[in-house]
Amino acid sequence: GRLAMQRWNTLPNGDFSDERLARLCTEWSLVSELSTFWYEASHRLLIDRALVAVLDAFDRNLVLTCELSVETSRKDESGTTHVLRGDLDYTVMFNHDRMLAAGLTTSRPTPLTPKNIVAVEANKVHEAPEALTQLVAETCALRKIRTDTGRSGLIYGVLSNAEKWQFIMIDEEDKLHVSNIVMVKLGAPDQAALRQVCNVV
């Protein structure tokens, strides 16, 4: 069915430390100084650093996976089957090596283990609507894989070109929540904005 969309005004607020923020700001400024931002790869250098800085706060219990292909299918009311597929630029999953060592699981992960973040680059401002549509479609595909295996349908997505960050959530009631855009300057970043991004992520 169709997702009911609403504005997401109450974003999660984590506890990203001053020490991690200072380190990330230094790296952000350095990468901005040494890179040109004409190509997607340059934007991803900054997105990579922000995501890794956030994951570091979880004591290696989460890991980042890049360029994961997913595919699933669904039937509509008429019985027609539609295939949902996409290449997810980033996903976040539990660190199964840690889980195995702690005895919390007895098997190696399959390629489609639980993920909860999808990040998609939007390189140009005028492409943002299409990028948001892509993010929602790929997040829906991931969500269906989760629900088909009995897992929670609650899932989050991140849309970013490093300078602009937007967040989505699909809740258990099939409501799509879309945030306002948070701006983080290239070069010397706006520390308050970068902290907000890291707190949400």
Side-chain angles (χ1 to χ4, degrees):
R2 295 178 61 85
L3 293 171
M5 188 174 79
Q6 63 185 55
R7 184 59 57 187
W8 191 9
N9 295 318
T10 55
L11 290 170
N13 188 20
D15 186 21
F16 196 69
S17 71
D18 292 340
E19 179 184 353
R20 286 191 173 92
L21 180 63
R23 188 165 60 244
L24 176 58
C25 285
T26 299
E27 292 181 1
W28 189 281
S29 298
L30 179 61
V31 171
S32 296
E33 181 181 344
L34 298 178
S35 302
T36 60
F37 288 90
W38 300 330
Y39 302 104
E40 175 182 314
S42 297
H43 294 258
R44 291 187 65 157
L45 288 173
L46 292 177
I47 296 171
D48 291 348
R49 277 159 176 76
L51 294 179
V52 168
V54 172
L55 292 184
D56 184 51
F58 288 87
D59 192 30
R60 309 297 192 274
N61 289 318
L62 298 176
V63 292
L64 192 64
T65 303
C66 300
E67 304 295 347
L68 181 71
S69 296
V70 297
E71 180 175 317
T72 186
S73 61
R74 67 172 182 84
K75 288 187 177 181
D76 61 21
E77 293 80 1
S78 68
T80 302
T81 298
H82 300 272
V83 176
L84 300 173
R85 63 169 60 91
D87 295 323
L88 310 181
D89 292 329
Y90 302 89
T91 59
V92 175
M93 59 190 292
F94 289 110
N95 186 334
H96 281 267
D97 289 334
R98 282 285 187 97
M99 294 177 71
L100 282 168
L104 299 177
T105 183
T106 58
S107 61
R108 303 295 302 177
T110 65
L112 298 179
T113 47
K115 325 288 188 309
N116 56 7
I117 282 185
V118 182
V120 179
E121 301 83 31
N123 289 328
K124 299 175 184 175
V125 173
H126 65 80
E127 291 177 353
E130 290 78 9
L132 182 59
T133 300
Q134 177 188 351
L135 173 65
V136 172
E138 293 177 349
T139 306
C140 284
L142 191 54
R143 182 177 189 267
K144 187 171 188 302
I145 291 170
R146 291 172 57 86
T147 56
D148 283 351
T149 53
R151 289 171 282 169
S152 170
L154 176 65
I155 193 164
Y156 300 89
V158 182
L159 176 64
S160 179
N161 66 352
E163 189 173 23
K164 295 181 179 181
W165 294 75
Q166 191 169 26
F167 306 93
I168 70 169
M169 173 182 66
I170 303 176
D171 65 22
E172 298 281 13
E173 298 177 351
D174 289 342
K175 290 181 182 176
L176 169 65
H177 303 258
V178 181
S179 79
N180 293 324
I181 293 174
V182 178
M183 295 291 298
V184 180
K185 293 187 299 182
L186 303 180
D190 180 332
Q191 291 194 22
L194 190 54
R195 184 193 294 276
Q196 182 182 12
V197 164
C198 292
N199 278 341
V200 175
V201 173

